[in-house]
Amino acid sequence: MEKQENEPILEVKGLKTHFPIKTGIFQRTTGWLKAVDGVSFSLRPGETLGLVGESGCGKTTCARSIIRLVEPTEGEIRFKGRDVKLLAGAELRALRRDMQIIFQDPYASLNPRMSVASIVGEGLMIHESLSRAQIRKRVGDILEEVGLSRRYVNRYPHEFSGGQRQRIGVARALALNPDFIICDEAVSALDVSIQAQIINLLEDLQDRHGFAYLFIAHDLSVVEHISDRVAVMYLGKIVETAPSGELYSNPRHPYTSALLSAVPVPDPSRRKEIERLRGQVPTLSALPFGCRFHPRCPKRHPVCEIEEPPAVEVGPGHVVYCHRIE
């Protein structure tokens, strides 16, 4: 897929999202849970950036902070050159038509009391000056674009399978023709065959409309298939970013190597050596000093326990945050 070589549509610099830990009768703040703690990346029009990492590392919080579903604590989020953090009211609502999200759970993300016409057409009613008949026609067109019949407009979510519900979620994100879509574990709750269908649908829509995707997942084989670049996240920080092919063929951070070694190989005759990490994942409320990965790292050095690792560029677009990179 040929990508547009334009300026970044999204730039995230030093993004932090911390949640207070409150204890006691008076709910005093006694600490902070640092879900996202200094994340930076950029995304160009028509590009797909995969964001991977263990459950609880801050992927979803990072994505929701970008579109202000969760309020970020610090950092800069620029979308089409505008600082998203400074927008409010009508300006923020207007910007959100260009930034949409597809949620993980196709069952919980759709209101069971709303018909398909209302779910997909809600954004059109808020942002467009269209009659009911025009909205209904537009919803029917979108349903056909995502592989559903326009006759489904009067049906309710309980009448659909999981894959069909996720197609409705895709249609809802597509309704306002956004420039940027977050896919938050959009296929993780689906069967493998249905996952492939939704991935192919997302790629076809990107070819047709030029969306930029932030694709969040824990299935590294799916991320490899759809992403142009991949960012690996660990305990609220990005530890490695690289073009997809480069990251999978030449991982440089010990955590990335361990993740990739755990990806199953669909060939029973091949044996694969799994890199087993020592210890447990620290909690976000009691993070280790220095490099956050050092308690589990097989290559750790005394400096790793004291200083945060610098960004080291090891190739074109390949950046690793590690003290031990040669």
Side-chain angles (χ1 to χ4, degrees):
M1 189 187 332
E2 185 177 346
K3 301 299 177 183
Q4 302 177 44
E5 297 296 334
N6 295 342
E7 290 298 315
I9 190 174
L10 175 70
E11 292 182 279
V12 177
K13 296 180 181 179
L15 178 64
K16 296 183 180 183
T17 304
H18 299 171
F19 299 100
I21 300 172
K22 297 183 180 292
T23 57
I25 298 175
F26 299 104
Q27 291 293 285
R28 292 192 176 95
T29 299
T30 56
W32 294 89
L33 192 149
K34 299 177 180 180
V36 180
D37 197 32
V39 166
S40 300
F41 62 85
S42 63
L43 186 61
R44 296 183 181 277
E47 183 183 35
T48 300
L49 175 66
L51 186 61
V52 302
E54 293 171 297
S55 296
C57 71
K59 304 184 301 292
T60 293
T61 302
C62 177
R64 296 191 178 199
S65 299
I66 290 170
I67 58 176
R68 297 274 301 277
L69 288 181
V70 173
E71 285 298 324
T73 306
E74 288 182 27
E76 185 177 346
I77 306 165
R78 302 196 74 85
F79 181 72
K80 291 183 174 180
R82 305 179 69 187
D83 192 338
V84 175
K85 281 187 65 182
L86 301 180
L87 301 181
E91 286 186 317
L92 182 58
R93 284 195 299 274
L95 185 69
R96 277 181 172 160
R97 67 175 297 151
D98 288 333
M99 306 170 74
Q100 295 292 316
I101 184 169
I102 302 169
F103 295 98
Q104 175 178 358
D105 190 344
Y107 294 88
S109 62
L110 303 180
N111 190 330
R113 298 185 179 183
M114 294 175 67
S115 67
V116 171
S118 298
I119 291 170
V120 178
E122 187 174 23
L124 294 170
M125 288 187 284
I126 294 170
H127 292 280
E128 303 281 359
S129 299
L130 300 175
S131 66
R132 286 184 177 273
Q134 289 173 318
I135 291 176
R136 192 176 184 84
K137 181 182 182 305
R138 172 67 176 144
V139 170
D141 293 342
I142 297 169
L143 289 180
E144 289 186 340
E145 191 168 11
V146 299
L148 297 173
S149 171
R150 62 173 59 242
R151 294 177 298 174
Y152 292 165
V153 292
N154 291 324
R155 294 191 181 182
Y156 288 81
H158 72 273
E159 300 179 70
F160 297 95
S161 66
Q164 289 175 319
R165 291 188 189 199
Q166 197 60 299
R167 288 178 186 268
I168 295 170
V170 173
R172 175 173 58 187
L174 189 66
L176 292 170
N177 195 27
D179 295 315
F180 169 57
I181 297 178
I182 293 171
C183 303
D184 183 13
E185 303 271 13
V187 297
S188 64
L190 306 175
D191 293 336
V192 174
S193 61
I194 306 301
Q195 284 185 11
Q197 294 176 20
I198 298 299
I199 291 295
N200 291 334
L201 171 64
L202 292 172
E203 291 186 318
D204 290 343
L205 292 172
Q206 187 178 50
D207 285 336
R208 210 173 301 151
H209 298 281
F211 305 133
Y213 288 138
L214 177 61
F215 192 88
I216 298 170
H218 59 264
D219 188 333
L220 293 172
S221 58
V222 170
V223 172
E224 182 182 16
H225 176 74
I226 195 174
S227 301
D228 300 298
R229 290 186 299 123
V230 179
V232 181
M233 199 167 177
Y234 182 77
L235 289 181
K237 286 186 177 291
I238 289 177
V239 297
E240 185 167 6
T241 305
S244 180
E246 169 71 11
L247 185 102
Y248 282 79
S249 63
N250 184 30
R252 300 298 299 275
H253 196 282
Y255 177 64
T256 307
S257 298
L259 280 182
L260 293 177
S261 75
V263 176
V265 177
D267 184 352
S269 65
R270 287 179 57 192
R271 297 196 64 179
K272 189 174 183 182
E273 189 70 27
I274 297 178
E275 297 180 22
R276 302 187 183 279
L277 299 175
R278 69 180 87 181
Q280 300 294 320
V281 181
T283 65
L284 291 170
S285 58
L287 294 168
F289 290 104
C291 174
R292 295 185 179 181
F293 186 60
H294 85 259
R296 307 174 68 196
C297 183
K299 299 179 180 179
R300 69 179 181 183
H301 190 268
V303 71
C304 302
E305 303 177 22
I306 304 170
E307 299 178 7
E308 288 198 7
V312 181
E313 187 167 0
V314 296
H318 193 166
V319 179
V320 185
Y321 295 81
C322 184
H323 289 291
R324 301 303 305 274
I325 294 298
E326 298 176 358

